[in-house]
Amino acid sequence: MPLLSQNKRIERVNSTAELFGRFPHLKDGAQQFVSRSAEPVDPKNLLYIQQREFAVTTPADNSVSILGSDDATTCHLVVLRHTGSGVTCLAHCDGSSTWTEVPLIINAVTSRCSSSSSAVKDGRLELHLVGGFDDDRRISHSLSLNILAAFQKQKEEIHLETCCITDMNDVIKDGIHRPVIYGIGVNVKTGHVFPASFTCRGPAEELRSARTFSGGQMVEVYDSARELVKIDPCRWTPNEDMAFWLTQDDETILQYLSTSPYAEPPHFVHHIKSTIQFLLEHPTADALFPDAQPQFYSRVEDGRWKRV
């Protein structure tokens, strides 16, 4: 089935400019989206999604009201929601495996809708894409087109509602292109998608970052039936040579460890160094997952995630 906008089929495009030329209402919507200020998200309501992660939940969730993610420069943030059941997914895609990630996202939503046949019949799948900018290496452009093409190839009928990507999410500051919006949230009760900022990126922020830094693929991090964050066992190889990066200045780290060195948020270098330090302190992940079992975190009364 096709990818649709205002019930018109979106055919394969060769550029985002071509897409916005064919569907000017998407361009208008993107302009409105970037004009909004980022809303701070209360950690007590939040499930934060890191790079190469996704999570799915429903409006009945008592532990999570907002799914959120940020630090997206060339990366794209993908929200897929079924309007009948309210089942909502947020994924942070970096282009590492787009063609396998999109089916994962769709299946995660549709499989949770099946238990409510009347709601499924009444609703539809709506897609929101935010991220990327007009970067010199055109990584954002490529990812935008791949994500659109991957959704076009799926059997489900999907309606593109928000498309604030690449050239529509670009601003020039001091002669340098940067994203306007780095992060978004989605209210799982209402479906409202909004620019967002976050002070908390847990639980297990360093462990989850280490998994991605070490080459881990897209993974689901939430068990919505039990309302638990779930970090599955992962593996990495000891590499003492990484200590080299801890002695390097910010400019060197940005140039070699970022896809967009002039557009990263201020905390990028600190985040990279803390992740590398975590990997050096844990040469393997075995001790972090006793008996090869996942780590689970539940929401406690004060709003924190606590390991259980």
Side-chain angles (χ1 to χ4, degrees):
M1 297 296 285
L3 181 64
L4 304 169
S5 182
Q6 291 189 340
N7 294 316
K8 294 180 181 178
R9 182 170 184 149
I10 300 176
E11 303 291 350
R12 188 74 177 260
V13 294
N14 295 313
S15 69
T16 51
E18 182 182 349
L19 173 71
F20 293 121
R22 291 184 188 176
F23 297 90
H25 65 275
L26 290 177
K27 182 176 181 178
D28 293 342
Q31 289 173 334
Q32 292 175 22
F33 199 83
V34 297
S35 71
R36 292 153 58 185
S37 299
E39 300 178 27
V41 175
D42 186 346
K44 295 179 181 178
N45 302 318
L46 170 69
L47 173 56
Y48 185 84
I49 311 302
Q50 292 202 27
Q51 186 173 338
R52 281 188 226 154
E53 293 182 348
F54 72 97
V56 187
T57 192
T58 73
D61 195 318
N62 293 311
S63 298
V64 174
S65 299
I66 304 291
L67 297 174
S69 189
D70 69 350
D71 292 353
T73 53
T74 56
C75 291
H76 285 39
L77 306 176
V78 178
V79 173
L80 186 66
R81 186 174 190 268
H82 188 271
T83 59
S85 64
V87 174
T88 303
C89 174
L90 189 151
H92 188 134
C93 300
D94 63 3
S96 57
S97 190
T98 302
W99 290 88
T100 57
E101 292 167 359
V102 166
L104 276 178
I105 293 165
I106 293 173
N107 182 65
V109 174
T110 56
S111 63
R112 286 165 175 80
C113 292
S114 59
S115 60
S116 179
S117 57
S118 60
V120 171
K121 185 177 180 181
D122 294 338
R124 68 181 195 176
L125 291 170
E126 293 188 344
L127 177 65
H128 306 265
L129 301 177
V130 181
F133 69 108
D134 193 11
D135 62 283
D136 292 342
R137 296 163 62 188
R138 296 185 67 80
I139 294 171
S140 301
H141 289 82
S142 177
L143 181 52
S144 290
L145 297 180
N146 281 335
I147 289 176
L148 288 167
F151 274 104
Q152 287 165 337
K153 290 290 187 181
Q154 306 308 309
K155 67 179 188 295
E156 293 80 6
E157 191 171 278
I158 298 167
H159 297 261
L160 181 59
E161 296 295 305
T162 306
C163 192
C164 186
I165 55 176
T166 305
D167 37 344
M168 292 308 302
N169 188 40
D170 184 81
V171 65
I172 301 175
K173 292 181 179 179
D174 301 323
I176 296 172
H177 289 269
R178 306 174 190 272
V180 181
I181 295 171
Y182 284 82
I184 63 169
V186 55
N187 186 315
V188 300
K189 314 296 185 186
T190 66
H192 175 57
V193 180
F194 56 94
S197 62
F198 309 94
T199 57
C200 177
R201 296 174 175 85
E205 178 180 358
E206 291 178 332
L207 169 58
R208 292 159 67 186
S209 298
R211 184 198 70 84
T212 303
F213 190 84
S214 303
Q217 295 304 298
M218 179 69 79
V219 66
E220 187 170 7
V221 293
Y222 190 59
D223 181 341
S224 59
R226 295 193 288 170
E227 300 186 6
L228 296 174
V229 174
K230 179 185 179 185
I231 313 299
D232 283 316
C234 50
R235 290 182 176 276
W236 52 73
T237 304
N239 183 3
E240 294 183 1
D241 293 341
M242 285 192 299
F244 163 82
W245 294 107
L246 298 181
T247 65
Q248 302 306 299
D249 59 27
D250 292 5
E251 180 67 20
T252 302
I253 288 176
L254 284 165
Q255 288 297 326
Y256 286 94
L257 298 182
S258 169
T259 60
S260 48
Y262 300 112
E264 294 291 357
H267 57 267
F268 175 83
V269 172
H270 172 76
H271 172 74
I272 289 292
K273 286 187 173 182
S274 65
T275 301
I276 290 172
Q277 185 65 47
F278 182 88
L279 286 164
L280 291 170
E281 292 171 359
H282 304 86
T284 74
D286 297 346
L288 300 169
F289 300 97
D291 301 321
Q293 294 300 304
Q295 289 191 12
F296 290 101
Y297 296 80
S298 67
R299 184 82 78 187
V300 293
E301 286 186 8
D302 64 4
R304 293 178 301 111
W305 292 105
K306 184 178 180 180
R307 189 170 176 182
V308 295

